[in-house]
Amino acid sequence: MRENYRAQCRWAANDFLNAYRVGDSVHVDAYNDNEEKANASLPVAEARAFARGILALADEVDGGEARSEARPRVGDRLRVTKDNPRSCPVVVGDIITVVETDYGHDGEDCVRFVWPGSDYRWFIPVSAVQRVGADTEPASVAEPLKVGSRVRVVRAEDPGVTRSFVGRVGTLTEIDSHDPRMPYLVRFGDGEHGADDGAWWCGAVEPVNESPADVTDVATVDAERAARLELLEAAKRLAPGGNVDDWMRIAAYLEGN
């Protein structure tokens, strides 16, 4: 005897869904005005994931299933626990906000999020994130990255590859929303691309708020050095000869040491 499960439309008595199992598939037929209009044959795993999704939408739980509250919902903040899951541009420790749930995507429970520099809604498996709970320090809400901002390089290339640019501060000059691996072009000086004083495409950056005291005024340093050298030359003209050690101490002082 075939078991049938019917879901009745609340608005039309002759509209309903009918589900039943045949072999290793679950069939779902859609009826409109008592006529079959569409049908789908689902693998058991897909049917199970779909059923869990229905339960979550209805805010209910089934006997052996985890409570729907344990599954991420839209608006939840999650911490990433794996590097680049499903090629997402995130690594361990990154915080994301759920903008959409997609349970049963390709046979896997996923949620979707938007990462700075792109409007694309990335898929990330629930197995690669954990909820940011009340016992976790709330993360500060960072302003969106903008071209022209001062940033610090967090990751220069793919995870596991170390570059000399990591930790350096530069100016964000371009954001490539089509490259999830290295979307940020950071410039450190006027040099060529790849040079220490040039620019480099980076995988992750963080904004830096530099106060005037944090920035060295090169012009001021050069002016002070020039003044000390002038004093040294004047001292040599006024007092020729003398002990070499004394001259070295004077030179060190005038150099600012």
Side-chain angles (χ1 to χ4, degrees):
M1 179 178 179
R2 190 177 75 181
E3 289 184 297
N4 291 279
Y5 294 90
R6 175 168 168 155
Q8 178 66 50
C9 175
R10 67 184 302 181
W11 307 120
N14 295 326
D15 294 351
F16 57 92
L17 297 176
N18 190 47
Y20 53 94
R21 180 164 180 165
V22 177
D24 60 354
S25 299
V26 175
H27 292 255
V28 180
D29 300 333
Y31 286 80
N32 174 248
D33 200 19
N34 282 330
E35 291 187 12
E36 183 180 338
K37 298 294 185 179
N39 60 77
S41 178
L42 308 177
V44 172
E46 292 286 342
R48 187 179 297 112
F50 180 69
R52 288 202 304 268
I54 294 294
L55 287 170
L57 292 175
D59 217 11
E60 298 291 341
V61 295
D62 191 13
E65 301 293 348
R67 292 186 175 275
S68 58
E69 289 78 11
R71 305 174 75 181
R73 297 187 178 187
V74 172
D76 284 352
R77 294 174 62 250
L78 308 174
R79 187 185 307 280
V80 179
T81 58
K82 298 179 181 179
D83 288 339
N84 300 114
R86 294 182 68 100
S87 300
C88 290
V90 291
V91 294
V92 173
D94 285 340
I95 302 295
I96 64 172
T97 299
V98 179
V99 297
E100 185 179 336
T101 58
D102 199 339
Y103 297 132
H105 178 78
D106 291 339
E108 188 173 24
D109 287 348
C110 294
V111 296
R112 303 187 74 171
F113 68 97
V114 176
W115 196 242
S118 172
D119 294 329
Y120 180 72
R121 296 190 168 196
W122 295 91
F123 287 97
I124 187 170
V126 172
S127 59
V129 294
Q130 64 182 17
R131 193 185 304 274
V132 177
D135 57 339
T136 305
E137 293 184 5
S140 58
V141 179
E143 295 183 1
L145 292 170
K146 299 178 181 179
V147 171
S149 300
R150 297 287 286 173
V151 295
R152 178 180 291 106
V153 178
V154 177
R155 188 174 75 249
E157 293 190 356
D158 293 335
V161 179
T162 302
R163 291 285 301 190
S164 60
F165 298 108
V166 174
R168 294 187 57 188
V169 174
T171 300
L172 182 60
T173 59
E174 187 177 342
I175 299 176
D176 184 356
S177 60
H178 300 292
D179 185 357
R181 293 191 313 113
M182 294 186 291
Y184 308 110
L185 180 61
V186 181
R187 178 158 289 281
F188 308 97
D190 298 327
E192 298 180 355
H193 183 80
D196 287 342
D197 62 343
W200 192 255
W201 285 100
C202 302
V205 297
E206 61 183 6
V208 173
N209 296 320
E210 290 182 327
S211 63
D214 295 329
V215 182
T216 302
D217 189 337
V218 177
T220 300
V221 173
D222 289 344
E224 291 180 355
R225 176 180 175 82
R228 291 178 183 274
L229 289 175
E230 185 178 350
L231 288 174
L232 176 59
E233 291 299 326
K236 288 168 65 177
R237 289 195 301 271
L238 292 172
N243 185 277
V244 174
D245 291 337
D246 290 339
W247 279 116
M248 293 300 295
R249 283 193 293 270
I250 295 173
Y253 167 73
L254 294 175
E255 282 290 312
N257 300 320

PDB file of all heavy atoms in Angstrom, residues 32-46:
ATOM      1  N   ASN A  32      -3.715  21.750  -9.486  1.00  0.00           N
ATOM      2  CA  ASN A  32      -4.461  22.996  -9.545  1.00  0.00           C
ATOM      3  C   ASN A  32      -5.838  22.694 -10.102  1.00  0.00           C
ATOM      4  O   ASN A  32      -5.953  22.135 -11.204  1.00  0.00           O
ATOM      5  CB  ASN A  32      -3.731  24.017 -10.425  1.00  0.00           C
ATOM      6  CG  ASN A  32      -4.537  25.291 -10.636  1.00  0.00           C
ATOM      7  OD1 ASN A  32      -4.981  25.564 -11.735  1.00  0.00           O
ATOM      8  ND2 ASN A  32      -4.718  26.071  -9.583  1.00  0.00           N
ATOM      9  N   ASP A  33      -6.843  23.054  -9.324  1.00  0.00           N
ATOM     10  CA  ASP A  33      -8.226  22.766  -9.706  1.00  0.00           C
ATOM     11  C   ASP A  33      -8.410  21.281 -10.000  1.00  0.00           C
ATOM     12  O   ASP A  33      -9.032  20.875 -10.990  1.00  0.00           O
ATOM     13  CB  ASP A  33      -8.623  23.596 -10.929  1.00  0.00           C
ATOM     14  CG  ASP A  33     -10.134  23.720 -11.089  1.00  0.00           C
ATOM     15  OD1 ASP A  33     -10.850  23.489 -10.073  1.00  0.00           O
ATOM     16  OD2 ASP A  33     -10.594  24.035 -12.192  1.00  0.00           O
ATOM     17  N   ASN A  34      -7.791  20.481  -9.111  1.00  0.00           N
ATOM     18  CA  ASN A  34      -7.877  19.017  -9.159  1.00  0.00           C
ATOM     19  C   ASN A  34      -7.171  18.403 -10.370  1.00  0.00           C
ATOM     20  O   ASN A  34      -7.312  17.207 -10.627  1.00  0.00           O
ATOM     21  CB  ASN A  34      -9.332  18.531  -9.132  1.00  0.00           C
ATOM     22  CG  ASN A  34      -9.911  18.584  -7.738  1.00  0.00           C
ATOM     23  OD1 ASN A  34      -9.199  18.439  -6.740  1.00  0.00           O
ATOM     24  ND2 ASN A  34     -11.232  18.811  -7.654  1.00  0.00           N
ATOM     25  N   GLU A  35      -6.390  19.185 -11.104  1.00  0.00           N
ATOM     26  CA  GLU A  35      -5.640  18.645 -12.225  1.00  0.00           C
ATOM     27  C   GLU A  35      -4.143  18.711 -11.924  1.00  0.00           C
ATOM     28  O   GLU A  35      -3.641  19.720 -11.432  1.00  0.00           O
ATOM     29  CB  GLU A  35      -5.928  19.440 -13.504  1.00  0.00           C
ATOM     30  CG  GLU A  35      -7.341  19.262 -14.043  1.00  0.00           C
ATOM     31  CD  GLU A  35      -7.525  19.921 -15.392  1.00  0.00           C
ATOM     32  OE1 GLU A  35      -6.496  20.318 -16.005  1.00  0.00           O
ATOM     33  OE2 GLU A  35      -8.672  20.050 -15.841  1.00  0.00           O
ATOM     34  N   GLU A  36      -3.456  17.593 -12.234  1.00  0.00           N
ATOM     35  CA  GLU A  36      -2.016  17.572 -12.004  1.00  0.00           C
ATOM     36  C   GLU A  36      -1.326  18.487 -13.011  1.00  0.00           C
ATOM     37  O   GLU A  36      -1.447  18.319 -14.224  1.00  0.00           O
ATOM     38  CB  GLU A  36      -1.484  16.148 -12.147  1.00  0.00           C
ATOM     39  CG  GLU A  36       0.010  16.040 -11.853  1.00  0.00           C
ATOM     40  CD  GLU A  36       0.533  14.620 -11.986  1.00  0.00           C
ATOM     41  OE1 GLU A  36      -0.284  13.665 -11.888  1.00  0.00           O
ATOM     42  OE2 GLU A  36       1.751  14.462 -12.216  1.00  0.00           O
ATOM     43  N   LYS A  37      -0.595  19.475 -12.470  1.00  0.00           N
ATOM     44  CA  LYS A  37       0.061  20.461 -13.316  1.00  0.00           C
ATOM     45  C   LYS A  37       1.576  20.285 -13.375  1.00  0.00           C
ATOM     46  O   LYS A  37       2.214  20.710 -14.334  1.00  0.00           O
ATOM     47  CB  LYS A  37      -0.268  21.868 -12.816  1.00  0.00           C
ATOM     48  CG  LYS A  37      -1.748  22.210 -12.864  1.00  0.00           C
ATOM     49  CD  LYS A  37      -2.267  22.266 -14.295  1.00  0.00           C
ATOM     50  CE  LYS A  37      -3.708  22.732 -14.354  1.00  0.00           C
ATOM     51  NZ  LYS A  37      -4.219  22.814 -15.748  1.00  0.00           N
ATOM     52  N   ALA A  38       2.140  19.686 -12.341  1.00  0.00           N
ATOM     53  CA  ALA A  38       3.598  19.510 -12.303  1.00  0.00           C
ATOM     54  C   ALA A  38       3.930  18.384 -11.350  1.00  0.00           C
ATOM     55  O   ALA A  38       3.133  18.023 -10.476  1.00  0.00           O
ATOM     56  CB  ALA A  38       4.287  20.796 -11.864  1.00  0.00           C
ATOM     57  N   ASN A  39       5.123  17.785 -11.540  1.00  0.00           N
ATOM     58  CA  ASN A  39       5.575  16.743 -10.621  1.00  0.00           C
ATOM     59  C   ASN A  39       7.093  16.764 -10.569  1.00  0.00           C
ATOM     60  O   ASN A  39       7.751  17.199 -11.517  1.00  0.00           O
ATOM     61  CB  ASN A  39       5.056  15.365 -11.036  1.00  0.00           C
ATOM     62  CG  ASN A  39       5.521  14.971 -12.419  1.00  0.00           C
ATOM     63  OD1 ASN A  39       6.672  14.576 -12.619  1.00  0.00           O
ATOM     64  ND2 ASN A  39       4.616  15.072 -13.405  1.00  0.00           N
ATOM     65  N   ALA A  40       7.612  16.300  -9.462  1.00  0.00           N
ATOM     66  CA  ALA A  40       9.065  16.238  -9.273  1.00  0.00           C
ATOM     67  C   ALA A  40       9.416  14.932  -8.588  1.00  0.00           C
ATOM     68  O   ALA A  40       8.718  14.486  -7.674  1.00  0.00           O
ATOM     69  CB  ALA A  40       9.547  17.418  -8.438  1.00  0.00           C
ATOM     70  N   SER A  41      10.511  14.304  -9.065  1.00  0.00           N
ATOM     71  CA  SER A  41      11.011  13.080  -8.463  1.00  0.00           C
ATOM     72  C   SER A  41      12.296  13.409  -7.722  1.00  0.00           C
ATOM     73  O   SER A  41      13.304  13.776  -8.355  1.00  0.00           O
ATOM     74  CB  SER A  41      11.261  12.025  -9.545  1.00  0.00           C
ATOM     75  OG  SER A  41      11.797  10.839  -8.981  1.00  0.00           O
ATOM     76  N   LEU A  42      12.292  13.303  -6.411  1.00  0.00           N
ATOM     77  CA  LEU A  42      13.416  13.720  -5.585  1.00  0.00           C
ATOM     78  C   LEU A  42      14.175  12.525  -5.029  1.00  0.00           C
ATOM     79  O   LEU A  42      13.553  11.573  -4.536  1.00  0.00           O
ATOM     80  CB  LEU A  42      12.929  14.570  -4.413  1.00  0.00           C
ATOM     81  CG  LEU A  42      12.033  15.764  -4.734  1.00  0.00           C
ATOM     82  CD1 LEU A  42      11.591  16.445  -3.437  1.00  0.00           C
ATOM     83  CD2 LEU A  42      12.754  16.744  -5.640  1.00  0.00           C
ATOM     84  N   PRO A  43      15.496  12.543  -5.092  1.00  0.00           N
ATOM     85  CA  PRO A  43      16.266  11.531  -4.347  1.00  0.00           C
ATOM     86  C   PRO A  43      15.938  11.656  -2.864  1.00  0.00           C
ATOM     87  O   PRO A  43      15.569  12.741  -2.382  1.00  0.00           O
ATOM     88  CB  PRO A  43      17.725  11.911  -4.630  1.00  0.00           C
ATOM     89  CG  PRO A  43      17.674  12.749  -5.868  1.00  0.00           C
ATOM     90  CD  PRO A  43      16.372  13.476  -5.828  1.00  0.00           C
ATOM     91  N   VAL A  44      16.093  10.558  -2.144  1.00  0.00           N
ATOM     92  CA  VAL A  44      15.704  10.560  -0.738  1.00  0.00           C
ATOM     93  C   VAL A  44      16.418  11.652   0.051  1.00  0.00           C
ATOM     94  O   VAL A  44      15.816  12.344   0.875  1.00  0.00           O
ATOM     95  CB  VAL A  44      15.983   9.173  -0.114  1.00  0.00           C
ATOM     96  CG1 VAL A  44      15.769   9.215   1.395  1.00  0.00           C
ATOM     97  CG2 VAL A  44      15.068   8.123  -0.743  1.00  0.00           C
ATOM     98  N   ALA A  45      17.726  11.829  -0.194  1.00  0.00           N
ATOM     99  CA  ALA A  45      18.483  12.841   0.548  1.00  0.00           C
ATOM    100  C   ALA A  45      17.941  14.244   0.275  1.00  0.00           C
ATOM    101  O   ALA A  45      17.815  15.074   1.184  1.00  0.00           O
ATOM    102  CB  ALA A  45      19.961  12.764   0.184  1.00  0.00           C
ATOM    103  N   GLU A  46      17.604  14.520  -0.989  1.00  0.00           N
ATOM    104  CA  GLU A  46      17.050  15.820  -1.341  1.00  0.00           C
ATOM    105  C   GLU A  46      15.687  16.018  -0.687  1.00  0.00           C
ATOM    106  O   GLU A  46      15.363  17.105  -0.201  1.00  0.00           O
ATOM    107  CB  GLU A  46      16.932  15.941  -2.861  1.00  0.00           C
ATOM    108  CG  GLU A  46      18.254  16.006  -3.589  1.00  0.00           C
ATOM    109  CD  GLU A  46      18.933  17.357  -3.414  1.00  0.00           C
ATOM    110  OE1 GLU A  46      18.256  18.322  -3.036  1.00  0.00           O
ATOM    111  OE2 GLU A  46      20.146  17.431  -3.644  1.00  0.00           O
TER     112      GLU A  46
END
